[in-house]
Amino acid sequence: MPQVTWKGVITFGLVSVPVQLYAATEEHSGPSLHQVHAKDGSRIRLKRFCEAEGKEVPYSEIAKGYESPDGRQVVLDDEDLAELPLPSKKVVDVLAFVPAESIDPLVYSKAYYVATADKSPAKPYVLLRDALRASGQIAVTKVTMRTRESLAVLRVHEDTLVLQTCLWPDEVRSAQGMAPDEKVTVRPQELKMARSLMDTLSEDFDLSALHDEYQQALQEMIDAKLAGVEAPHLEEQTEGGGAEVIDLMAVLRSSVKAAKGEHGRGAKGGRAAGGSAAHTEEATATGTEADQGAAAGGGAAAGGGTSKRPRKATASRSGAADRSGAAAKTAKAPAKKAAAKKSATRKAS
């Protein structure tokens, strides 16, 4: 069981829910690294050094300081910070209930599991949880934790309430100017092929199977250096010079084929027998632009427009027929010569 991060009360209206918060997530930092002198590997240590006294000071004597624009210094210790007159210090006050989709995930920060406080009744907790679940809404709140007041939301995760701290609206930078400003037209065939690629990549996806490959690679390098062997490394990749003009349809087509090769090998028979939307979209998208326009208007199906693939197939079949005919003629020639020799022998006798 993790340590309690915060204790207080959730209030909505006149209903109070005594709770305590536990950190819901943890980050794995991998092998612990420290600073050393690159020349000889000796340890580098950071010391808290007092400029006025010219000596190192313990952490217990460290406080917070603020310097005003005119150079005056204000020292704030833990007691000063604990006595700040904030109504959200020990209370999670529900301000409103809003649809979950109305909050952009961009503002979400750290998550905490909300548990009932010791010896407190469970019914107010269950009431709030079930009301949120039934409405499909989340509760917008404010909470003060340590030295920071944060916007937060209360939501339901499985059977547990979760308090998720958020950034304030003015802490989210504007996205203006980030999107491409040039006018780009995406053809329906390209959009269909992109959707086909999305569907293929999503087959049998398991988020829980993902892991931090950086930590694994770092540990392998450390193990190799400890063993005195060559550390594993990636092959150098050559970078292309300048911007390249790419055939987007060709790239999408290749991506779909590669993804299907990885995700759909076990299901190839079923897709080949029954057909699939992805194959249909690929067939439509891979024709020439003229063929695609004819297909969209029904001309190719009704009478007449032909694509490159049928012509190639016809040419290959005719070529095969010519080769088989030539082979038959070659086989008949020796037989004719043998018959002519027998006839000449009989005449001579």
Side-chain angles (χ1 to χ4, degrees):
M1 191 78 170
Q3 291 184 345
V4 176
T5 301
W6 183 92
K7 289 185 177 182
V9 178
I10 297 175
T11 64
F12 61 109
L14 299 178
V15 180
S16 296
V17 186
V19 297
Q20 48 196 16
L21 304 184
Y22 297 87
T25 60
E26 59 181 355
E27 294 185 7
H28 300 293
S29 57
S32 179
L33 303 178
H34 51 259
Q35 292 183 334
V36 298
H37 189 189
K39 181 179 179 181
D40 52 26
S42 59
R43 187 75 177 263
I44 300 297
R45 299 185 184 275
L46 302 178
K47 298 182 178 181
R48 300 176 182 88
F49 191 80
C50 177
E51 295 179 352
E53 298 181 8
K55 66 177 184 180
E56 186 179 357
V57 296
Y59 184 78
S60 59
E61 296 182 12
I62 303 297
K64 300 268 192 309
Y66 173 80
E67 184 175 347
S68 64
D70 58 6
R72 289 178 297 166
Q73 182 87 354
V74 174
V75 178
L76 301 172
D77 57 22
D78 292 340
E79 283 188 22
D80 294 327
L81 298 175
E83 293 175 359
L84 290 174
L86 288 174
S88 60
K89 187 180 299 182
K90 290 295 181 181
V91 176
V92 177
D93 187 19
V94 175
L95 306 176
F97 294 90
V98 299
E101 60 272 14
S102 66
I103 304 292
D104 192 326
L106 185 66
V107 305
Y108 286 150
S109 184
K110 193 168 179 60
Y112 298 89
Y113 288 135
V114 181
T116 54
D118 297 335
K119 299 180 180 179
S120 62
K123 189 168 185 178
Y125 182 101
V126 175
L127 172 64
L128 177 58
R129 181 196 66 191
D130 292 353
L132 288 173
R133 178 182 287 155
S135 67
Q137 294 180 314
I138 58 178
V140 179
T141 72
K142 288 200 302 182
V143 61
T144 298
M145 302 178 66
R146 300 183 180 90
T147 60
R148 174 180 171 86
E149 184 181 50
S150 298
L151 192 66
V153 297
L154 276 169
R155 57 187 181 86
V156 180
H157 172 71
E158 297 178 352
D159 285 331
T160 305
L161 287 174
V162 171
L163 180 81
Q164 186 114 30
T165 59
C166 304
L167 300 173
W168 295 100
D170 60 356
E171 292 180 318
V172 179
R173 293 175 176 172
S174 171
Q176 186 175 1
M178 299 295 178
D181 55 0
E182 59 181 306
K183 293 183 179 179
V184 178
T185 301
V186 177
R187 292 184 296 155
Q189 294 86 354
E190 294 170 336
L191 188 58
K192 285 184 178 180
M193 186 62 71
R195 290 296 302 272
S196 176
L197 176 59
M198 292 165 61
D199 293 340
T200 304
L201 291 176
S202 301
E203 291 177 5
D204 303 324
F205 176 73
D206 182 9
L207 183 63
S208 62
L210 301 181
H211 65 280
D212 188 347
E213 296 185 11
Y214 176 84
Q215 287 189 30
Q216 180 180 345
L218 178 59
Q219 187 63 59
E220 290 176 355
M221 176 170 286
I222 291 173
D223 294 342
K225 286 184 175 291
L226 289 173
V229 298
E230 184 180 359
H233 60 277
L234 288 175
E235 296 182 0
E236 292 185 4
Q237 299 179 355
T238 57
E239 296 183 359
E244 298 181 4
V245 178
I246 62 172
D247 184 345
L248 187 56
M249 280 303 302
V251 173
L252 287 170
R253 203 159 49 238
S254 300
S255 300
V256 171
K257 289 180 179 178
K260 285 178 180 176
E262 294 180 3
H263 294 281
R265 286 176 182 169
K268 273 186 178 179
R271 284 201 296 269
S276 68
H279 285 95
T280 305
E281 290 164 5
E282 183 181 355
T284 304
T286 52
T288 62
E289 292 189 16
D291 294 337
Q292 291 164 356
T306 59
S307 65
K308 290 183 178 180
R309 288 186 177 179
R311 285 199 294 271
K312 286 183 179 178
T314 304
S316 62
R317 286 196 294 268
S318 63
D322 293 343
R323 286 193 297 272
S324 61
K329 290 179 181 179
T330 305
K332 290 179 180 179
K336 288 182 178 181
K337 288 183 180 180
K341 285 183 179 180
K342 287 182 180 180
S343 175
T345 303
R346 283 197 296 268
K347 286 180 180 180
S349 60

PDB file of all heavy atoms in Angstrom, residues 112-147:
ATOM      1  N   TYR A 112      -4.462  10.615  -8.676  1.00  0.00           N
ATOM      2  CA  TYR A 112      -4.444  10.067  -7.319  1.00  0.00           C
ATOM      3  C   TYR A 112      -5.692   9.225  -7.108  1.00  0.00           C
ATOM      4  O   TYR A 112      -6.802   9.633  -7.474  1.00  0.00           O
ATOM      5  CB  TYR A 112      -4.423  11.200  -6.278  1.00  0.00           C
ATOM      6  CG  TYR A 112      -3.206  12.083  -6.353  1.00  0.00           C
ATOM      7  CD1 TYR A 112      -3.198  13.209  -7.171  1.00  0.00           C
ATOM      8  CD2 TYR A 112      -2.073  11.802  -5.595  1.00  0.00           C
ATOM      9  CE1 TYR A 112      -2.079  14.027  -7.248  1.00  0.00           C
ATOM     10  CE2 TYR A 112      -0.948  12.623  -5.663  1.00  0.00           C
ATOM     11  CZ  TYR A 112      -0.961  13.721  -6.490  1.00  0.00           C
ATOM     12  OH  TYR A 112       0.154  14.523  -6.572  1.00  0.00           O
ATOM     13  N   TYR A 113      -5.502   8.044  -6.516  1.00  0.00           N
ATOM     14  CA  TYR A 113      -6.653   7.245  -6.113  1.00  0.00           C
ATOM     15  C   TYR A 113      -7.261   7.865  -4.865  1.00  0.00           C
ATOM     16  O   TYR A 113      -6.562   8.258  -3.936  1.00  0.00           O
ATOM     17  CB  TYR A 113      -6.237   5.812  -5.815  1.00  0.00           C
ATOM     18  CG  TYR A 113      -5.881   5.006  -7.039  1.00  0.00           C
ATOM     19  CD1 TYR A 113      -4.744   4.201  -7.067  1.00  0.00           C
ATOM     20  CD2 TYR A 113      -6.689   5.033  -8.175  1.00  0.00           C
ATOM     21  CE1 TYR A 113      -4.413   3.460  -8.188  1.00  0.00           C
ATOM     22  CE2 TYR A 113      -6.372   4.297  -9.300  1.00  0.00           C
ATOM     23  CZ  TYR A 113      -5.228   3.514  -9.299  1.00  0.00           C
ATOM     24  OH  TYR A 113      -4.910   2.782 -10.417  1.00  0.00           O
ATOM     25  N   VAL A 114      -8.591   7.944  -4.849  1.00  0.00           N
ATOM     26  CA  VAL A 114      -9.315   8.501  -3.713  1.00  0.00           C
ATOM     27  C   VAL A 114      -9.884   7.341  -2.903  1.00  0.00           C
ATOM     28  O   VAL A 114     -10.672   6.536  -3.416  1.00  0.00           O
ATOM     29  CB  VAL A 114     -10.459   9.425  -4.177  1.00  0.00           C
ATOM     30  CG1 VAL A 114     -11.188  10.002  -2.974  1.00  0.00           C
ATOM     31  CG2 VAL A 114      -9.908  10.541  -5.067  1.00  0.00           C
ATOM     32  N   ALA A 115      -9.474   7.242  -1.640  1.00  0.00           N
ATOM     33  CA  ALA A 115      -9.973   6.200  -0.737  1.00  0.00           C
ATOM     34  C   ALA A 115     -10.721   6.857   0.414  1.00  0.00           C
ATOM     35  O   ALA A 115     -10.474   8.021   0.748  1.00  0.00           O
ATOM     36  CB  ALA A 115      -8.821   5.351  -0.201  1.00  0.00           C
ATOM     37  N   THR A 116     -11.617   6.114   1.028  1.00  0.00           N
ATOM     38  CA  THR A 116     -12.325   6.650   2.184  1.00  0.00           C
ATOM     39  C   THR A 116     -11.354   6.781   3.354  1.00  0.00           C
ATOM     40  O   THR A 116     -10.418   5.989   3.490  1.00  0.00           O
ATOM     41  CB  THR A 116     -13.481   5.729   2.589  1.00  0.00           C
ATOM     42  OG1 THR A 116     -12.968   4.402   2.784  1.00  0.00           O
ATOM     43  CG2 THR A 116     -14.546   5.698   1.519  1.00  0.00           C
ATOM     44  N   ALA A 117     -11.569   7.788   4.153  1.00  0.00           N
ATOM     45  CA  ALA A 117     -10.726   7.985   5.329  1.00  0.00           C
ATOM     46  C   ALA A 117     -11.019   6.911   6.373  1.00  0.00           C
ATOM     47  O   ALA A 117     -12.044   6.211   6.302  1.00  0.00           O
ATOM     48  CB  ALA A 117     -10.963   9.377   5.919  1.00  0.00           C
ATOM     49  N   ASP A 118     -10.095   6.772   7.308  1.00  0.00           N
ATOM     50  CA  ASP A 118     -10.253   5.763   8.358  1.00  0.00           C
ATOM     51  C   ASP A 118     -11.554   5.988   9.132  1.00  0.00           C
ATOM     52  O   ASP A 118     -11.863   7.108   9.549  1.00  0.00           O
ATOM     53  CB  ASP A 118      -9.068   5.808   9.315  1.00  0.00           C
ATOM     54  CG  ASP A 118      -7.758   5.470   8.603  1.00  0.00           C
ATOM     55  OD1 ASP A 118      -7.822   4.768   7.577  1.00  0.00           O
ATOM     56  OD2 ASP A 118      -6.695   5.923   9.066  1.00  0.00           O
ATOM     57  N   LYS A 119     -12.312   4.897   9.326  1.00  0.00           N
ATOM     58  CA  LYS A 119     -13.532   4.887  10.141  1.00  0.00           C
ATOM     59  C   LYS A 119     -14.622   5.837   9.631  1.00  0.00           C
ATOM     60  O   LYS A 119     -15.489   6.252  10.390  1.00  0.00           O
ATOM     61  CB  LYS A 119     -13.210   5.242  11.593  1.00  0.00           C
ATOM     62  CG  LYS A 119     -12.254   4.259  12.254  1.00  0.00           C
ATOM     63  CD  LYS A 119     -11.977   4.656  13.697  1.00  0.00           C
ATOM     64  CE  LYS A 119     -11.015   3.669  14.343  1.00  0.00           C
ATOM     65  NZ  LYS A 119     -10.706   4.028  15.755  1.00  0.00           N
ATOM     66  N   SER A 120     -14.562   6.200   8.351  1.00  0.00           N
ATOM     67  CA  SER A 120     -15.618   7.049   7.790  1.00  0.00           C
ATOM     68  C   SER A 120     -16.609   6.182   7.025  1.00  0.00           C
ATOM     69  O   SER A 120     -16.237   5.143   6.469  1.00  0.00           O
ATOM     70  CB  SER A 120     -15.023   8.110   6.859  1.00  0.00           C
ATOM     71  OG  SER A 120     -14.371   7.483   5.768  1.00  0.00           O
ATOM     72  N   PRO A 121     -17.882   6.557   6.993  1.00  0.00           N
ATOM     73  CA  PRO A 121     -18.886   5.730   6.294  1.00  0.00           C
ATOM     74  C   PRO A 121     -18.627   5.699   4.788  1.00  0.00           C
ATOM     75  O   PRO A 121     -18.141   6.666   4.198  1.00  0.00           O
ATOM     76  CB  PRO A 121     -20.202   6.433   6.617  1.00  0.00           C
ATOM     77  CG  PRO A 121     -19.818   7.838   6.946  1.00  0.00           C
ATOM     78  CD  PRO A 121     -18.470   7.761   7.592  1.00  0.00           C
ATOM     79  N   ALA A 122     -18.962   4.588   4.186  1.00  0.00           N
ATOM     80  CA  ALA A 122     -18.701   4.399   2.758  1.00  0.00           C
ATOM     81  C   ALA A 122     -19.819   4.932   1.872  1.00  0.00           C
ATOM     82  O   ALA A 122     -19.604   5.165   0.678  1.00  0.00           O
ATOM     83  CB  ALA A 122     -18.490   2.916   2.463  1.00  0.00           C
ATOM     84  N   LYS A 123     -21.011   5.133   2.422  1.00  0.00           N
ATOM     85  CA  LYS A 123     -22.159   5.483   1.576  1.00  0.00           C
ATOM     86  C   LYS A 123     -21.977   6.800   0.830  1.00  0.00           C
ATOM     87  O   LYS A 123     -22.284   6.858  -0.376  1.00  0.00           O
ATOM     88  CB  LYS A 123     -23.431   5.514   2.416  1.00  0.00           C
ATOM     89  CG  LYS A 123     -24.682   5.661   1.559  1.00  0.00           C
ATOM     90  CD  LYS A 123     -25.948   5.406   2.338  1.00  0.00           C
ATOM     91  CE  LYS A 123     -27.159   5.452   1.429  1.00  0.00           C
ATOM     92  NZ  LYS A 123     -28.418   5.169   2.150  1.00  0.00           N
ATOM     93  N   PRO A 124     -21.487   7.902   1.438  1.00  0.00           N
ATOM     94  CA  PRO A 124     -21.295   9.129   0.661  1.00  0.00           C
ATOM     95  C   PRO A 124     -20.309   8.934  -0.496  1.00  0.00           C
ATOM     96  O   PRO A 124     -20.505   9.489  -1.590  1.00  0.00           O
ATOM     97  CB  PRO A 124     -20.750  10.117   1.693  1.00  0.00           C
ATOM     98  CG  PRO A 124     -21.216   9.596   2.995  1.00  0.00           C
ATOM     99  CD  PRO A 124     -21.199   8.105   2.859  1.00  0.00           C
ATOM    100  N   TYR A 125     -19.264   8.142  -0.273  1.00  0.00           N
ATOM    101  CA  TYR A 125     -18.290   7.837  -1.335  1.00  0.00           C
ATOM    102  C   TYR A 125     -18.975   7.105  -2.481  1.00  0.00           C
ATOM    103  O   TYR A 125     -18.841   7.473  -3.656  1.00  0.00           O
ATOM    104  CB  TYR A 125     -17.166   6.983  -0.743  1.00  0.00           C
ATOM    105  CG  TYR A 125     -16.047   6.632  -1.703  1.00  0.00           C
ATOM    106  CD1 TYR A 125     -14.839   7.316  -1.675  1.00  0.00           C
ATOM    107  CD2 TYR A 125     -16.182   5.601  -2.641  1.00  0.00           C
ATOM    108  CE1 TYR A 125     -13.794   6.985  -2.532  1.00  0.00           C
ATOM    109  CE2 TYR A 125     -15.161   5.266  -3.506  1.00  0.00           C
ATOM    110  CZ  TYR A 125     -13.962   5.956  -3.445  1.00  0.00           C
ATOM    111  OH  TYR A 125     -12.940   5.636  -4.316  1.00  0.00           O
ATOM    112  N   VAL A 126     -19.731   6.052  -2.154  1.00  0.00           N
ATOM    113  CA  VAL A 126     -20.407   5.260  -3.184  1.00  0.00           C
ATOM    114  C   VAL A 126     -21.453   6.096  -3.901  1.00  0.00           C
ATOM    115  O   VAL A 126     -21.647   5.967  -5.118  1.00  0.00           O
ATOM    116  CB  VAL A 126     -21.039   4.001  -2.551  1.00  0.00           C
ATOM    117  CG1 VAL A 126     -21.859   3.233  -3.580  1.00  0.00           C
ATOM    118  CG2 VAL A 126     -19.954   3.104  -1.958  1.00  0.00           C
ATOM    119  N   LEU A 127     -22.136   6.973  -3.175  1.00  0.00           N
ATOM    120  CA  LEU A 127     -23.138   7.849  -3.793  1.00  0.00           C
ATOM    121  C   LEU A 127     -22.502   8.732  -4.868  1.00  0.00           C
ATOM    122  O   LEU A 127     -23.011   8.832  -5.989  1.00  0.00           O
ATOM    123  CB  LEU A 127     -23.805   8.707  -2.721  1.00  0.00           C
ATOM    124  CG  LEU A 127     -24.755   9.810  -3.223  1.00  0.00           C
ATOM    125  CD1 LEU A 127     -25.943   9.201  -3.945  1.00  0.00           C
ATOM    126  CD2 LEU A 127     -25.203  10.702  -2.080  1.00  0.00           C
ATOM    127  N   LEU A 128     -21.379   9.379  -4.522  1.00  0.00           N
ATOM    128  CA  LEU A 128     -20.714  10.244  -5.496  1.00  0.00           C
ATOM    129  C   LEU A 128     -20.187   9.439  -6.674  1.00  0.00           C
ATOM    130  O   LEU A 128     -20.341   9.846  -7.837  1.00  0.00           O
ATOM    131  CB  LEU A 128     -19.571  11.002  -4.807  1.00  0.00           C
ATOM    132  CG  LEU A 128     -18.713  11.905  -5.696  1.00  0.00           C
ATOM    133  CD1 LEU A 128     -19.565  12.960  -6.397  1.00  0.00           C
ATOM    134  CD2 LEU A 128     -17.611  12.576  -4.872  1.00  0.00           C
ATOM    135  N   ARG A 129     -19.592   8.302  -6.395  1.00  0.00           N
ATOM    136  CA  ARG A 129     -19.053   7.459  -7.474  1.00  0.00           C
ATOM    137  C   ARG A 129     -20.137   7.012  -8.433  1.00  0.00           C
ATOM    138  O   ARG A 129     -20.005   7.135  -9.661  1.00  0.00           O
ATOM    139  CB  ARG A 129     -18.359   6.251  -6.861  1.00  0.00           C
ATOM    140  CG  ARG A 129     -17.735   5.295  -7.876  1.00  0.00           C
ATOM    141  CD  ARG A 129     -17.419   3.967  -7.235  1.00  0.00           C
ATOM    142  NE  ARG A 129     -18.637   3.264  -6.840  1.00  0.00           N
ATOM    143  CZ  ARG A 129     -18.654   2.176  -6.063  1.00  0.00           C
ATOM    144  NH1 ARG A 129     -17.525   1.693  -5.577  1.00  0.00           N
ATOM    145  NH2 ARG A 129     -19.803   1.594  -5.765  1.00  0.00           N
ATOM    146  N   ASP A 130     -21.236   6.490  -7.898  1.00  0.00           N
ATOM    147  CA  ASP A 130     -22.305   5.973  -8.760  1.00  0.00           C
ATOM    148  C   ASP A 130     -23.016   7.091  -9.512  1.00  0.00           C
ATOM    149  O   ASP A 130     -23.478   6.899 -10.646  1.00  0.00           O
ATOM    150  CB  ASP A 130     -23.306   5.176  -7.928  1.00  0.00           C
ATOM    151  CG  ASP A 130     -22.700   3.875  -7.394  1.00  0.00           C
ATOM    152  OD1 ASP A 130     -21.566   3.551  -7.783  1.00  0.00           O
ATOM    153  OD2 ASP A 130     -23.373   3.210  -6.582  1.00  0.00           O
ATOM    154  N   ALA A 131     -23.130   8.275  -8.892  1.00  0.00           N
ATOM    155  CA  ALA A 131     -23.760   9.410  -9.575  1.00  0.00           C
ATOM    156  C   ALA A 131     -22.913   9.858 -10.762  1.00  0.00           C
ATOM    157  O   ALA A 131     -23.439  10.163 -11.841  1.00  0.00           O
ATOM    158  CB  ALA A 131     -23.959  10.566  -8.595  1.00  0.00           C
ATOM    159  N   LEU A 132     -21.599   9.887 -10.575  1.00  0.00           N
ATOM    160  CA  LEU A 132     -20.714  10.249 -11.686  1.00  0.00           C
ATOM    161  C   LEU A 132     -20.800   9.213 -12.797  1.00  0.00           C
ATOM    162  O   LEU A 132     -20.856   9.554 -13.983  1.00  0.00           O
ATOM    163  CB  LEU A 132     -19.267  10.372 -11.187  1.00  0.00           C
ATOM    164  CG  LEU A 132     -18.935  11.579 -10.319  1.00  0.00           C
ATOM    165  CD1 LEU A 132     -17.515  11.471  -9.765  1.00  0.00           C
ATOM    166  CD2 LEU A 132     -19.087  12.877 -11.108  1.00  0.00           C
ATOM    167  N   ARG A 133     -20.786   7.957 -12.422  1.00  0.00           N
ATOM    168  CA  ARG A 133     -20.824   6.889 -13.428  1.00  0.00           C
ATOM    169  C   ARG A 133     -22.132   6.916 -14.212  1.00  0.00           C
ATOM    170  O   ARG A 133     -22.140   6.788 -15.440  1.00  0.00           O
ATOM    171  CB  ARG A 133     -20.623   5.545 -12.744  1.00  0.00           C
ATOM    172  CG  ARG A 133     -20.704   4.356 -13.702  1.00  0.00           C
ATOM    173  CD  ARG A 133     -20.540   3.058 -12.929  1.00  0.00           C
ATOM    174  NE  ARG A 133     -19.170   2.866 -12.494  1.00  0.00           N
ATOM    175  CZ  ARG A 133     -18.824   2.128 -11.449  1.00  0.00           C
ATOM    176  NH1 ARG A 133     -19.751   1.549 -10.705  1.00  0.00           N
ATOM    177  NH2 ARG A 133     -17.551   1.972 -11.137  1.00  0.00           N
ATOM    178  N   ALA A 134     -23.241   7.096 -13.521  1.00  0.00           N
ATOM    179  CA  ALA A 134     -24.543   7.078 -14.185  1.00  0.00           C
ATOM    180  C   ALA A 134     -24.731   8.279 -15.115  1.00  0.00           C
ATOM    181  O   ALA A 134     -25.357   8.171 -16.168  1.00  0.00           O
ATOM    182  CB  ALA A 134     -25.658   7.043 -13.135  1.00  0.00           C
ATOM    183  N   SER A 135     -24.164   9.413 -14.743  1.00  0.00           N
ATOM    184  CA  SER A 135     -24.333  10.622 -15.551  1.00  0.00           C
ATOM    185  C   SER A 135     -23.336  10.716 -16.693  1.00  0.00           C
ATOM    186  O   SER A 135     -23.540  11.474 -17.642  1.00  0.00           O
ATOM    187  CB  SER A 135     -24.196  11.863 -14.663  1.00  0.00           C
ATOM    188  OG  SER A 135     -22.859  11.983 -14.178  1.00  0.00           O
ATOM    189  N   GLY A 136     -22.237   9.958 -16.611  1.00  0.00           N
ATOM    190  CA  GLY A 136     -21.179  10.080 -17.615  1.00  0.00           C
ATOM    191  C   GLY A 136     -20.424  11.385 -17.502  1.00  0.00           C
ATOM    192  O   GLY A 136     -19.732  11.786 -18.438  1.00  0.00           O
ATOM    193  N   GLN A 137     -20.518  12.031 -16.347  1.00  0.00           N
ATOM    194  CA  GLN A 137     -19.862  13.314 -16.150  1.00  0.00           C
ATOM    195  C   GLN A 137     -18.662  13.188 -15.217  1.00  0.00           C
ATOM    196  O   GLN A 137     -18.439  12.143 -14.598  1.00  0.00           O
ATOM    197  CB  GLN A 137     -20.858  14.330 -15.573  1.00  0.00           C
ATOM    198  CG  GLN A 137     -21.991  14.689 -16.514  1.00  0.00           C
ATOM    199  CD  GLN A 137     -22.936  15.695 -15.897  1.00  0.00           C
ATOM    200  OE1 GLN A 137     -23.346  15.556 -14.747  1.00  0.00           O
ATOM    201  NE2 GLN A 137     -23.281  16.714 -16.663  1.00  0.00           N
ATOM    202  N   ILE A 138     -17.887  14.277 -15.139  1.00  0.00           N
ATOM    203  CA  ILE A 138     -16.795  14.379 -14.187  1.00  0.00           C
ATOM    204  C   ILE A 138     -16.996  15.656 -13.378  1.00  0.00           C
ATOM    205  O   ILE A 138     -17.679  16.586 -13.818  1.00  0.00           O
ATOM    206  CB  ILE A 138     -15.417  14.392 -14.882  1.00  0.00           C
ATOM    207  CG1 ILE A 138     -15.320  15.548 -15.885  1.00  0.00           C
ATOM    208  CG2 ILE A 138     -15.143  13.075 -15.577  1.00  0.00           C
ATOM    209  CD1 ILE A 138     -13.974  15.652 -16.564  1.00  0.00           C
ATOM    210  N   ALA A 139     -16.424  15.688 -12.183  1.00  0.00           N
ATOM    211  CA  ALA A 139     -16.590  16.834 -11.295  1.00  0.00           C
ATOM    212  C   ALA A 139     -15.361  17.729 -11.377  1.00  0.00           C
ATOM    213  O   ALA A 139     -14.230  17.253 -11.263  1.00  0.00           O
ATOM    214  CB  ALA A 139     -16.796  16.360  -9.860  1.00  0.00           C
ATOM    215  N   VAL A 140     -15.567  19.018 -11.586  1.00  0.00           N
ATOM    216  CA  VAL A 140     -14.474  19.998 -11.612  1.00  0.00           C
ATOM    217  C   VAL A 140     -14.283  20.524 -10.189  1.00  0.00           C
ATOM    218  O   VAL A 140     -15.249  20.964  -9.543  1.00  0.00           O
ATOM    219  CB  VAL A 140     -14.794  21.156 -12.578  1.00  0.00           C
ATOM    220  CG1 VAL A 140     -13.662  22.166 -12.582  1.00  0.00           C
ATOM    221  CG2 VAL A 140     -15.035  20.617 -13.980  1.00  0.00           C
ATOM    222  N   THR A 141     -13.049  20.481  -9.706  1.00  0.00           N
ATOM    223  CA  THR A 141     -12.755  20.864  -8.330  1.00  0.00           C
ATOM    224  C   THR A 141     -11.479  21.700  -8.276  1.00  0.00           C
ATOM    225  O   THR A 141     -10.788  21.893  -9.287  1.00  0.00           O
ATOM    226  CB  THR A 141     -12.554  19.616  -7.438  1.00  0.00           C
ATOM    227  OG1 THR A 141     -11.300  19.000  -7.786  1.00  0.00           O
ATOM    228  CG2 THR A 141     -13.667  18.619  -7.630  1.00  0.00           C
ATOM    229  N   LYS A 142     -11.157  22.149  -7.059  1.00  0.00           N
ATOM    230  CA  LYS A 142      -9.859  22.757  -6.764  1.00  0.00           C
ATOM    231  C   LYS A 142      -9.308  22.082  -5.518  1.00  0.00           C
ATOM    232  O   LYS A 142     -10.054  21.735  -4.604  1.00  0.00           O
ATOM    233  CB  LYS A 142      -9.984  24.263  -6.524  1.00  0.00           C
ATOM    234  CG  LYS A 142     -10.253  25.071  -7.762  1.00  0.00           C
ATOM    235  CD  LYS A 142      -9.890  26.542  -7.593  1.00  0.00           C
ATOM    236  CE  LYS A 142     -10.643  27.189  -6.446  1.00  0.00           C
ATOM    237  NZ  LYS A 142     -10.314  28.629  -6.338  1.00  0.00           N
ATOM    238  N   VAL A 143      -7.984  21.916  -5.467  1.00  0.00           N
ATOM    239  CA  VAL A 143      -7.360  21.279  -4.314  1.00  0.00           C
ATOM    240  C   VAL A 143      -5.969  21.877  -4.123  1.00  0.00           C
ATOM    241  O   VAL A 143      -5.287  22.215  -5.096  1.00  0.00           O
ATOM    242  CB  VAL A 143      -7.264  19.744  -4.499  1.00  0.00           C
ATOM    243  CG1 VAL A 143      -6.421  19.382  -5.709  1.00  0.00           C
ATOM    244  CG2 VAL A 143      -6.733  19.063  -3.242  1.00  0.00           C
ATOM    245  N   THR A 144      -5.573  22.042  -2.863  1.00  0.00           N
ATOM    246  CA  THR A 144      -4.225  22.506  -2.537  1.00  0.00           C
ATOM    247  C   THR A 144      -3.424  21.343  -1.981  1.00  0.00           C
ATOM    248  O   THR A 144      -3.818  20.723  -0.985  1.00  0.00           O
ATOM    249  CB  THR A 144      -4.254  23.640  -1.507  1.00  0.00           C
ATOM    250  OG1 THR A 144      -4.965  24.748  -2.061  1.00  0.00           O
ATOM    251  CG2 THR A 144      -2.853  24.086  -1.141  1.00  0.00           C
ATOM    252  N   MET A 145      -2.325  21.033  -2.661  1.00  0.00           N
ATOM    253  CA  MET A 145      -1.452  19.959  -2.222  1.00  0.00           C
ATOM    254  C   MET A 145      -0.027  20.513  -2.126  1.00  0.00           C
ATOM    255  O   MET A 145       0.477  21.110  -3.083  1.00  0.00           O
ATOM    256  CB  MET A 145      -1.502  18.779  -3.190  1.00  0.00           C
ATOM    257  CG  MET A 145      -2.905  18.207  -3.356  1.00  0.00           C
ATOM    258  SD  MET A 145      -2.998  16.857  -4.541  1.00  0.00           S
ATOM    259  CE  MET A 145      -2.018  15.632  -3.698  1.00  0.00           C
ATOM    260  N   ARG A 146       0.568  20.323  -0.944  1.00  0.00           N
ATOM    261  CA  ARG A 146       1.890  20.860  -0.650  1.00  0.00           C
ATOM    262  C   ARG A 146       1.855  22.385  -0.793  1.00  0.00           C
ATOM    263  O   ARG A 146       1.163  23.044  -0.040  1.00  0.00           O
ATOM    264  CB  ARG A 146       2.948  20.199  -1.539  1.00  0.00           C
ATOM    265  CG  ARG A 146       3.037  18.682  -1.350  1.00  0.00           C
ATOM    266  CD  ARG A 146       4.137  18.071  -2.189  1.00  0.00           C
ATOM    267  NE  ARG A 146       4.212  16.640  -1.997  1.00  0.00           N
ATOM    268  CZ  ARG A 146       3.551  15.755  -2.712  1.00  0.00           C
ATOM    269  NH1 ARG A 146       2.776  16.157  -3.710  1.00  0.00           N
ATOM    270  NH2 ARG A 146       3.651  14.469  -2.461  1.00  0.00           N
ATOM    271  N   THR A 147       2.571  22.939  -1.768  1.00  0.00           N
ATOM    272  CA  THR A 147       2.629  24.397  -1.885  1.00  0.00           C
ATOM    273  C   THR A 147       1.950  24.893  -3.155  1.00  0.00           C
ATOM    274  O   THR A 147       2.273  25.971  -3.650  1.00  0.00           O
ATOM    275  CB  THR A 147       4.101  24.848  -1.895  1.00  0.00           C
ATOM    276  OG1 THR A 147       4.772  24.240  -3.006  1.00  0.00           O
ATOM    277  CG2 THR A 147       4.810  24.462  -0.611  1.00  0.00           C
TER     278      THR A 147
END
